[in-house]
Amino acid sequence: MLKKAIQFMIISAIGFAFLNAIVKYLSDFNAYQIVFFRSIGTLFFTIPLLLKYNISMLGNKKTLLVLRGVLGVTSMSLFFMSIKYLPIGSAVSLRYISPIFAAVFAVFILKEKIKPIQWLFFLIAFGGVVVLKGFDTQIDTTGLLLVLASAFFSGLVFIIIRKIGSHDHPIVVVNYFMMIALIAGGILCIPYWKTPVGWQWALLLSLGVFGYIGQLYMTKALQLAETNKAAPLKYIEVIFTMLIGLSWFHESYTLWSLLGIVLIVIGLTLNTYVKAAK
């Protein structure tokens, strides 16, 4: 089961890595237009699935579903904006600090408790952020602020999903997210619209496909193996994304940037193990 979970998580990481790379490649397009096309590709999968299994698209926790969609679109837009300013490997690593924000929000909103050792692991991960910004000259301040804001809103998304719980089917949650992304992205991109040419159409529409593959196989992996064994594997995305950055975009990573990324991944991985052991 674990072997299969590892295979699924690798497929998921590749899917998300290609999504990140395509966003970077299409950096001439406004982030809202990328959000718009990202949603179209995923809705191509979610709507037929809802119809096939006769699942209501309206859902039960409508207010929370809408709020999750708005927060998700905000986080996604900010992340896509940050990729234009940062090496994609660094951007992905920085976005992954969202569990720190989620943990803090959970204390105040869900009244959850955090083990003292978890704060140490969060401190290690945050230390990675400090190293990246303080010693890596490639980390643009604008890009850093954008990706940290993206992580902040992503942390809120985790809390909303927890509040929704099992009241709504996961496909309904994703479908709400993508429908709101379609509407918000479509409206906000109008002043910045750039008509795609040739392969740009295929690349833009493929964003939703890679995003769906990434989400689907990550879910499959988490269903097959224990959380503390499967969840840390999602950080493989950082490795694949960095390799793509090096080979496709000729990005470079200094020893300081590698140290910062390693600290972030180690801190969050240790937190995952401890949290799953509760």
Side-chain angles (χ1 to χ4, degrees), residues 6-71:
I6 292 173
Q7 292 174 348
F8 285 156
M9 196 62 86
I10 289 174
I11 295 173
S12 170
I14 292 173
F16 283 130
F18 274 112
L19 185 153
N20 299 330
I22 293 171
V23 172
K24 182 77 171 182
Y25 181 77
L26 297 171
S27 58
D28 288 341
F29 287 86
N30 182 269
Y32 298 124
Q33 189 171 352
I34 294 177
V35 167
F36 174 72
F37 279 99
R38 162 77 170 85
S39 60
I40 292 176
T42 301
L43 286 170
F44 178 80
F45 293 97
T46 58
I47 292 177
L49 284 172
L50 290 172
L51 294 174
K52 178 182 178 180
Y53 295 107
N54 196 29
I55 302 172
S56 173
M57 293 187 187
L58 295 178
N60 299 309
K61 297 286 186 177
K62 298 178 181 61
T63 301
L64 289 176
L65 286 167
V66 170
L67 182 58
R68 183 265 181 268
V70 171
L71 292 172

Side-chain angles (χ1 to χ4, degrees), residues 2 13 58-59 72 77 84 87 94 112 141 164 176 193 214-215 239:
L2 180 59
L58 295 178
S77 300
K84 296 182 180 182
L94 289 165
E112 292 185 356
T141 301
I164 293 172
Y176 256 85
W193 179 266
Q215 192 66 49
I239 298 173

Side-chain angles (χ1 to χ4, degrees), residues 10-267:
I10 289 174
I11 295 173
S12 170
I14 292 173
F16 283 130
F18 274 112
L19 185 153
N20 299 330
I22 293 171
V23 172
K24 182 77 171 182
Y25 181 77
L26 297 171
S27 58
D28 288 341
F29 287 86
N30 182 269
Y32 298 124
Q33 189 171 352
I34 294 177
V35 167
F36 174 72
F37 279 99
R38 162 77 170 85
S39 60
I40 292 176
T42 301
L43 286 170
F44 178 80
F45 293 97
T46 58
I47 292 177
L49 284 172
L50 290 172
L51 294 174
K52 178 182 178 180
Y53 295 107
N54 196 29
I55 302 172
S56 173
M57 293 187 187
L58 295 178
N60 299 309
K61 297 286 186 177
K62 298 178 181 61
T63 301
L64 289 176
L65 286 167
V66 170
L67 182 58
R68 183 265 181 268
V70 171
L71 292 172
V73 170
T74 302
S75 176
M76 182 166 60
S77 300
L78 290 167
F79 176 65
F80 288 167
M81 292 176 190
S82 74
I83 288 180
K84 296 182 180 182
Y85 298 93
L86 301 169
I88 52 177
S90 300
V92 170
S93 302
L94 289 165
R95 182 192 62 181
Y96 268 132
I97 68 167
S98 55
I100 298 178
F101 291 113
V104 174
F105 295 144
V107 171
F108 295 101
I109 298 175
L110 302 179
K111 307 303 180 184
E112 292 185 356
K113 293 183 179 180
I114 297 179
K115 292 181 178 180
I117 191 66
Q118 286 182 266
W119 292 112
L120 173 61
F121 297 150
F122 290 152
L123 186 61
I124 292 173
F126 186 72
V129 177
V130 173
V131 169
L132 277 172
K133 178 53 187 168
F135 299 96
D136 187 353
T137 56
Q138 296 181 91
I139 302 299
D140 179 88
T141 301
T142 300
L144 177 66
L145 292 175
L146 286 169
V147 77
L148 290 180
S150 172
F152 175 88
F153 285 104
S154 181
L156 285 173
V157 167
F158 293 152
I159 300 302
I160 299 302
I161 290 176
R162 290 284 302 278
K163 295 282 284 185
I164 293 172
S166 59
H167 294 287
D168 282 293
H169 195 284
I171 300 177
V172 174
V173 179
V174 174
N175 195 65
Y176 256 85
F177 175 24
M178 290 296 103
M179 285 299 297
I180 292 173
L182 180 74
I183 296 169
I187 294 174
L188 293 173
C189 79
I190 292 175
Y192 313 100
W193 179 266
K194 177 182 176 181
T195 303
V197 179
W199 275 101
Q200 290 177 338
W201 283 103
L203 290 173
L204 283 164
L205 291 171
S206 72
L207 291 171
V209 177
F210 284 119
Y212 180 76
I213 290 173
Q215 192 66 49
L216 173 65
Y217 281 93
M218 182 175 69
T219 302
K220 285 177 175 288
L222 293 173
Q223 289 174 335
L224 282 177
E226 295 176 16
T227 301
N228 61 349
K229 294 180 179 179
L233 295 173
K234 67 183 177 182
Y235 299 118
I236 296 173
E237 178 191 348
V238 176
I239 298 173
F240 284 130
T241 303
M242 288 177 66
L243 291 174
I244 290 175
L246 289 168
S247 57
W248 291 9
F249 302 105
H250 306 293
E251 296 177 344
S252 60
Y253 293 91
T254 65
L255 289 176
W256 285 115
S257 61
L258 292 175
L259 175 60
I261 290 170
V262 168
L263 286 173
I264 291 172
V265 172
I266 288 177

